[in-house]
Amino acid sequence: MTFKNNLCALSSKVEQDTFVLTLMEVRKAKRTNNKKTTRNDRVATKYFIPNVNGDMINVCAHAFSDITSLTRRRLNIICKNFNVHHQSPKEKRGGKHLNASEIEVTLSIEDHIKSFKCRKSHHTRRETGRSYLQPGLSIKYLWSHWKMNRLKENCCIASLSKYQFIFTSKFNLSFGHPRQDICSFCTEQLTKIQIEKDEDMKIELHLELKVHQRRAKRFFELLKEESPDSVSVSFDMMQTQPLPKLSVTEVFYSRQVWLYNLTFVIAAPTQGLENCYLYTWTECESGRGPNEVCSSHVDFLENLESRLC
């Protein structure tokens, strides 16, 4: 039946109730018992089902319930609500019901987190929006500080889990020092700006720093460009790693062997292991001077030439 398919196609309960109301005629009952004053107003309902020609056929409530697969209780609720409010019932199931005190506690936690100073990462290839708090802080420390202030003011408090949920879900924050591989020129310029007292000279230093940062940004934009007549290769001497790398206490006070790693990456639309070349050696085998680095470059270029030919 067409109308049954239309009813089943509706996803929400409110839409289904509104559709069912178009097949019902709800009005106040003419015969009521006036002696029972506490009884709600009775309603009289007529149910209709369209036939193939579109004509509305009056059916009983039992038949209407079987055809639409709606319970009599749900139909009665729709009728009574329409008689009082002249609309289909509103959806009140589910959701999270918050009272005024819970909302006030949530806002207090958000204001407390915002009161701490944070800084953004200095050296990133793309903007993540993440900011960093001081490395000595933690979520538990922030919660203890907030809880102590609330108790002094005789206000409601919340658990550590709720504070942590708000911190992780509503803020993009982390702890620690975000600055790694900081540019030496940027550090030098920022230091000069802080100690410079002449305003004109300070403006000039700011301009030099801006030009430098824009050049760096343009450099990374050029790395993303692809040319059919060229091959882009990135290489870097990675951070040295101690061997063995264990969490045993005695290892921290023992002499460890350092592992050197020079990595080459060939730019490609999809990065894979075939585009990465790692040259590793320990300090027992050799150092990391110009001879070792140049030897790795020569070997990589020979492999790259044989790969392209």
Side-chain angles (χ1 to χ4, degrees):
M1 302 175 73
T2 305
F3 90 97
K4 181 64 178 297
N5 295 334
N6 295 335
L7 177 62
C8 296
L10 300 176
S11 57
S12 66
K13 176 181 177 297
V14 177
E15 294 177 349
Q16 293 178 359
D17 294 344
T18 304
F19 179 79
V20 170
L21 274 173
T22 60
L23 305 175
M24 301 165 59
E25 182 181 327
V26 183
R27 60 185 178 181
K28 291 185 178 181
K30 295 181 179 180
R31 299 176 60 183
T32 58
N33 191 348
N34 296 328
K35 294 181 180 180
K36 297 181 179 180
T37 56
T38 58
R39 187 174 181 179
N40 296 330
D41 294 337
R42 295 179 57 194
V43 294
T45 308
K46 290 184 178 181
Y47 302 93
F48 299 91
I49 296 295
N51 59 9
V52 180
N53 299 326
D55 299 330
M56 306 300 288
I57 301 176
N58 189 7
V59 296
C60 64
H62 182 73
F64 189 85
S65 176
D66 291 342
I67 295 174
T68 58
S69 301
L70 300 179
T71 62
R72 291 290 300 276
R73 179 177 178 274
R74 181 174 175 180
L75 295 176
N76 292 335
I77 293 175
I78 295 174
C79 296
K80 292 180 180 180
N81 189 84
F82 182 80
N83 184 47
V84 177
H85 303 289
H86 303 286
Q87 63 180 2
S88 60
K90 294 182 179 180
E91 183 61 79
K92 298 181 180 180
R93 300 175 300 175
K96 188 174 182 180
H97 305 282
L98 297 176
N99 53 35
S101 61
E102 291 179 344
I103 297 175
E104 190 273 334
V105 170
T106 302
L107 295 177
S108 175
I109 294 175
E110 293 178 359
D111 294 338
H112 181 260
I113 297 175
K114 293 177 182 178
S115 64
F116 288 86
K117 292 184 178 180
C118 58
R119 59 182 180 181
K120 292 186 176 294
S121 178
H122 172 74
H123 188 75
T124 54
R125 292 195 175 184
R126 61 186 180 90
E127 180 61 33
T128 60
R130 169 156 291 197
S131 300
Y132 295 83
L133 297 171
Q134 296 180 5
L137 300 177
S138 64
I139 296 180
K140 187 174 182 180
Y141 176 84
L142 297 179
W143 171 74
S144 301
H145 185 267
W146 171 81
K147 179 181 177 182
M148 181 179 61
N149 293 337
R150 297 282 291 183
L151 291 176
K152 289 181 180 179
E153 299 174 358
N154 294 326
C155 298
C156 298
I157 60 175
S159 61
L160 175 61
S161 59
K162 180 173 182 177
Y163 193 99
Q164 183 177 6
F165 174 77
I166 296 175
F167 184 90
T168 55
S169 61
K170 296 188 177 183
F171 295 90
N172 190 8
L173 295 174
S174 183
F175 302 96
H177 292 290
R179 300 188 177 186
Q180 297 179 356
D181 297 336
I182 301 176
C183 174
S184 58
F185 182 82
C186 293
T187 306
E188 181 182 356
Q189 289 296 106
L190 291 174
T191 304
K192 290 181 179 179
I193 292 172
Q194 291 178 356
I195 64 177
E196 184 61 48
K197 296 182 180 180
D198 188 2
E199 293 297 331
D200 295 335
M201 190 63 185
K202 186 176 291 188
I203 294 174
E204 184 177 351
L205 293 173
H206 273 291
L207 291 176
E208 293 178 359
L209 181 61
K210 286 289 184 181
V211 172
H212 172 74
Q213 292 175 347
R214 290 181 180 179
R215 287 178 178 175
K217 184 178 180 180
R218 179 56 183 165
F219 170 75
F220 288 111
E221 291 177 354
L222 292 175
L223 286 179
K224 298 179 182 180
E225 296 181 359
E226 298 181 2
S227 177
D229 301 331
S230 62
V231 178
S232 299
V233 179
S234 302
F235 63 93
D236 184 29
M237 177 67 75
M238 309 297 286
Q239 184 179 8
T240 55
Q241 299 294 330
L243 294 178
K245 193 171 184 179
L246 302 174
S247 57
V248 182
T249 306
E250 288 76 11
V251 175
F252 294 102
Y253 302 98
S254 303
R255 178 71 171 87
Q256 294 175 278
V257 180
W258 291 101
L259 176 68
Y260 303 132
N261 179 12
L262 180 60
T263 303
F264 295 83
V265 179
I266 302 175
T270 56
Q271 292 292 348
L273 296 177
E274 65 278 2
N275 297 326
C276 298
Y277 292 81
L278 278 71
Y279 294 85
T280 59
W281 66 94
T282 62
E283 62 177 348
C284 300
E285 298 172 337
S286 182
R288 52 176 178 176
N291 292 333
E292 292 79 11
V293 175
C294 291
S295 299
S296 302
H297 277 75
V298 171
D299 184 77
F300 170 75
L301 293 176
E302 291 177 353
N303 293 330
L304 181 62
E305 184 180 5
S306 60
R307 175 177 174 174
L308 297 177
C309 294

